């Protein structure tokens, strides 16, 4: 196995703490300093079908963003399908999985100046099939960077638990990144977290403030979350960001002032007065139409064909859902917002966050 290429294993204290955000930003920051960067996510739990192969969705995001020039199956060697764990417990196969991961890393790191290894969940995830994050980091002879959510007590407690498992596998934790820190608490949390981590012998390498852009889902993500379908517009319009969601349960006259960019309105499709008010609001003002993010028509009530055409011509995306308005709103409220390929606004925001708030050069000194 390649033991020459410098590498870092990006771990976390739990799912959705910011591993992919960190990996995405590190790829750009390290690329500026070192040149060609490799990437691998050895074990993936959320995957999509790409030409008959199950590829981790974060791997697809990295590849489509940076054109890594490595086969997707090498960057995503193991996909944990629904029956994967059961089959492993019944039949084993540890050595075959280890060989696949090591061979895939060799391909991912080939002719690269640095390799990013992205974990999945906390340090113990994967233990049931003998490939915990801690063990994979050990197998690939990588040091570890842990990403955790903002705070002092809880994050440090969770880091201590994760570090214990990495220590058991002989893996060095070289630093921590705190993610999603509120601006008004930024200096306070950074100071006390740094001091608290120092007691564990760990450096605080970065502190990332909350960026409102990263919490905004795209219209397409919302559509997928509610199992909706477009009756006006298409997936290209689905790249619009949703900044706020309101339920159109009031009169059209009272709702009209809410037709602002970034607003998603949930309303039954038989409220034609609201839809016509939206068309009027989207007439060009000083040469520019005022585009809301879109409408969701609940309970599968649909407008007539003529009104549907007018909505499309006005540039208003309309998504129909069989769910009632309350259920639609609840599902949107509970959704986890992920960065998706092609979302340039979020990707650029992530790159700027990592470059500005992570001590990249200090991290490199700890690795190389």
């Amino acid at each position: 196995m390649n033991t020459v290429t410098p590498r870092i294993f990006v771990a976390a204290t739990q799912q959705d703490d910011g591993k992919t955000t960190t990996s995405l930003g590190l790829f750009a920051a390290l690329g500026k300093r070192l040149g060609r960067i490799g990437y691998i996510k050895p074990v993936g739990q959320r995957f999509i079908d790409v030409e008959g192969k199950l590829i981790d969705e974060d791997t697809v995001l990295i590849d489509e963003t940076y054109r890594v020039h490595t086969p997707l199956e090498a960057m995503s060697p193991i996909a944990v399908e629904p029956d994967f764990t059961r089959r492993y417990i019944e039949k084993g196969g540890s050595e075959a999985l280890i060989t696949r991961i090591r061979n895939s890393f060799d391909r991912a790191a080939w002719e690269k100046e640095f390799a990013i290894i992205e974990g999945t969940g906390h340090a113990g995830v994967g233990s049931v099939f003998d490939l915990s994050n801690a063990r994979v980091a050990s197998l690939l002879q990588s040091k570890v960077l842990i990403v955790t959510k903002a705070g002092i007590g809880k994050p440090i407690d969770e880091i201590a638990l994760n570090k214990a498992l990495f220590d058991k596998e002989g893996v060095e934790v070289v630093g921590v990144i705190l993610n999603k820190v509120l601006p008004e608490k930024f200096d306070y949390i950074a100071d006390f977290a740094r001091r608290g981590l120092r007691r564990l012998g760990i450096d605080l390498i970065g502190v990332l403030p909350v960026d409102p852009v990263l919490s905004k889902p795209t219209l397409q993500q919302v559509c997928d979350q509610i199992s909706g379908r477009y009756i006006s517009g298409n997936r290209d319009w689905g790249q619009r960001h949703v900044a706020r969601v309101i339920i159109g349960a009031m009169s059209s006259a009272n709702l009209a002032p809410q037709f602002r960019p970034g607003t998603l309105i949930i309303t039954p499709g038989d409220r034609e007065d609201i839809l016509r008010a939206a068309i009027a609001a989207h007439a060009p003002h000083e040469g520019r139409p005022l585009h809301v993010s879109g409408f969701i028509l609940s309970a599968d009530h649909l407008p007539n064909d003529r009104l549907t055409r007018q909505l499309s011509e006005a540039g208003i995306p309309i998504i129909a859902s069989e769910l009632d308005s309350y259920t639609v709103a609840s599902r949107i409220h509970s959704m986890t917002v992920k960065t998706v390929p092609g979302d340039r606004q979020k990707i650029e925001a992530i790159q700027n966050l990592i470059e500005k708030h992570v001590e990249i050069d200090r991290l490199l000194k700890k690795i190389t």
Side-chain angles (χ1 to χ4, degrees), residues 19 22 85 98 149 163 181 242 350 355:
K19 294 185 306 300
T22 299
T85 300
I98 290 171
K149 288 182 181 177
K163 183 177 183 296
V181 180
V242 176
I350 289 168
E355 185 65 54

Side-chain angles (χ1 to χ4, degrees), residues 125-278:
V125 170
S127 297
V128 67
F129 45 84
D130 300 316
L131 284 175
S132 69
N133 281 284
R135 181 147 191 245
V136 172
S138 177
L139 290 170
L140 296 180
Q141 300 181 30
S142 178
K143 297 179 181 180
V144 170
L145 174 67
I146 296 180
V147 185
T148 188
K149 288 182 181 177
I152 300 172
K154 182 179 178 182
I156 293 177
D157 288 346
E158 291 177 343
I159 288 166
L161 282 172
N162 281 264
K163 183 177 183 296
L165 190 50
F166 284 119
D167 287 346
K168 181 181 177 182
E169 294 289 346
V171 176
E172 181 184 357
V173 176
V174 295
V176 166
I177 291 178
L178 283 183
N179 191 23
K180 300 180 182 178
V181 180
L182 294 174
E184 61 270 23
K185 296 183 178 181
F186 190 89
D187 293 337
Y188 169 81
I189 287 180
D191 178 32
F192 279 91
R194 181 172 284 106
R195 287 195 264 170
L197 287 168
R198 192 179 297 132
R199 293 162 63 89
L200 298 179
I202 304 175
D203 284 340
L204 183 62
I205 295 293
V207 182
L208 307 182
V210 170
D211 189 325
V213 170
L214 302 185
S215 64
K216 297 177 183 177
T218 64
L219 188 62
Q220 184 59 51
Q221 287 174 308
V222 171
C223 184
D224 294 340
Q225 178 78 2
I226 64 171
S227 301
R229 67 189 190 281
Y230 289 97
I231 64 169
S232 166
N234 51 48
R235 295 181 73 93
D236 292 336
W237 292 10
Q239 293 303 309
R240 295 183 184 181
H241 288 142
V242 176
R244 65 185 191 128
V245 179
I246 61 174
I247 296 179
M250 61 192 80
S251 70
S252 58
N254 289 330
L255 188 62
Q258 305 297 324
F259 296 156
R260 301 198 295 268
T263 301
L264 177 65
I265 300 101
I266 304 169
T267 186
D270 56 4
R271 287 296 303 271
E272 293 191 359
D273 58 325
I274 291 177
L275 297 177
R276 294 187 188 281

Side-chain angles (χ1 to χ4, degrees), residues 6-55:
R7 65 206 68 182
I8 189 67
F9 189 102
V10 180
T13 51
Q14 57 185 329
Q15 192 175 26
D16 299 322
D17 274 357
K19 294 185 306 300
T20 302
T21 294
T22 299
S23 298
L24 194 68
L26 279 178
F27 198 106
L30 292 170
K32 290 179 184 177
R33 291 161 172 80
L34 303 175
R36 295 165 299 180
I37 307 299
Y39 171 89
I40 183 173
K41 188 163 184 179
V43 179
Q45 294 180 294
R46 293 189 293 220
F47 48 83
I48 57 178
D49 188 303
V50 180
E51 298 180 352
K53 298 182 177 70
L54 298 181
I55 305 298

